[in-house]
């Protein structure tokens, strides 16, 4: 990701970028777009680029028992609509020896925005307040106000785009966790006030791969710093049970369990 974005800085670019800013723990924070102009009624994507300093990390939407998720609060022209954020898959990060969910190195978070079809202005201003936490031995909370002035093309036009930024955006979209296939099942059970059992059926999963599974929880119900115990119940059908420790601040009577299941072994 860093190579893709930095490569674009040394060649001709058509993309729009906000002024790059730095903050404690963050070498660069910036809004970037792959297009040179927006078209009335056609959705476009903006990316929040966060480059932490060496040995620092930022946090995923479900940071775990420490850390704060990155956030964007948008100020958009009238009639514009904003979608949810697309997050790259999380990884385990360490904050003072405590395991959390986040990103080591650069992160690119995507948001789709749709302008109104009757947009008449020649240029629009889009602003966002970004907030995050960048941590190493200590943590640095950060805030930055970012602004883009974006030209408006005529309906039906195809403004040029920056292929380097477009590839970086495509990389994030491809890597983002997908919904589980129809043949997979997930059955969570509150086994005790401090423990959830998650029984999953993943056809074709072998025992060796099952041992590498990890649930990245995004609704504060799993202690990110505690081991996740994995038991293969039915190797033929791919039935696995995860025993997950709940933190003290987890909701007392949860109705759902939300997160991303990751199997690095395939």
């Amino acid at each position: 990701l860093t190579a893709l974005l930095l490569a674009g800085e040394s060649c001709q670019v058509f993309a729009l970028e906000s002024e790059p800013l730095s903050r404690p723990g963050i070498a660069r924070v910036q809004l970037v777009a792959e297009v040179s102009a927006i078209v009335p009624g056609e959705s476009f994507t903006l990316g929040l680029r966060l480059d932490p300093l060496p040995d620092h990390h930022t946090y995923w939407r479900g940071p775990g028992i420490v850390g704060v998720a990155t956030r964007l609060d948008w100020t958009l022209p009238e009639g514009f609509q904003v979608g949810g954020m697309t997050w790259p898959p999380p990884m385990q990060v360490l904050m003072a020896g405590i395991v959390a969910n986040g990103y080591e190195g650069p992160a690119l978070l995507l948001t789709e925005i749709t302008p109104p079809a009757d947009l008449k202005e020649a240029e629009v201003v889009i602003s966002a307040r970004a907030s995050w936490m960048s941590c190493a031995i200590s943590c640095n909370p950060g805030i930055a106000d970012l602004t883009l002035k974006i030209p408006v093309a005529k309906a039906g036009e195809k403004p040029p785009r920056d292929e380097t930024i477009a590839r970086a955006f495509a990389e994030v979209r491809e890597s983002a966790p997908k919904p589980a296939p129809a043949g997979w099942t997930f059955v969570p059970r509150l086994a005790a006030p401090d423990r959830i059992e998650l029984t999953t059926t993943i056809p074709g999963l072998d025992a060796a791969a099952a041992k590498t599974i990890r649930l990245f929880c995004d609704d504060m119900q799993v202690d990110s710093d505690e081991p996740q115990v994995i038991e293969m119940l039915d190797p033929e059908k791919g039935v696995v049970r995860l025993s997950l420790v709940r933190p003290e601040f987890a909701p007392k009577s949860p109705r759902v369990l939300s997160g991303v299941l990751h199997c690095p072994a395939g």
Side-chain angles (χ1 to χ4, degrees), residues 65-84:
I65 63 169
V66 295
V68 177
T70 299
R71 174 172 171 163
L72 277 173
D73 293 306
W74 295 93
T75 300
L76 301 174
E78 185 177 355
F80 279 62
Q81 297 182 346
V82 61

Side-chain angles (χ1 to χ4, degrees), residues 169-242:
F169 281 17
E171 181 182 316
V172 172
R173 295 186 186 102
E174 179 61 28
S175 71
K178 309 297 188 294
W184 296 18
T185 62
F186 302 89
V187 182
R189 183 176 76 92
L190 192 61
D194 63 349
R195 183 165 57 89
I196 288 177
E197 289 182 350
L198 174 64
T199 302
T200 72
T201 301
I202 304 176
L205 179 70
D206 62 50
K211 293 179 181 178
T212 69
I213 286 177
R214 181 175 182 84
L215 178 71
F216 289 91
C217 181
D218 62 12
D219 63 2
M220 309 299 285
Q221 291 196 64
V222 174
D223 190 326
S224 57
D225 192 48
E226 291 287 345
Q228 299 185 6
V229 179
I230 303 169
E231 182 182 2
M232 194 81 179
L233 302 182
D234 190 332
E236 292 186 4
K237 295 182 179 179
V239 182
V240 178
R241 182 168 62 205
L242 283 75

Side-chain angles (χ1 to χ4, degrees), residues 78 86 92-93 105 264:
E78 185 177 355
T86 298
Q92 291 178 266
V93 296

Side-chain angles (χ1 to χ4, degrees), residues 25 53-57 59 94-97 134-140:
L53 291 176
D55 300 322
H56 285 67
H57 61 263
Y59 293 94
L94 286 177
M95 171 54 209
S134 176
C135 296
I137 297 175
S138 60
C139 282
N140 302 280

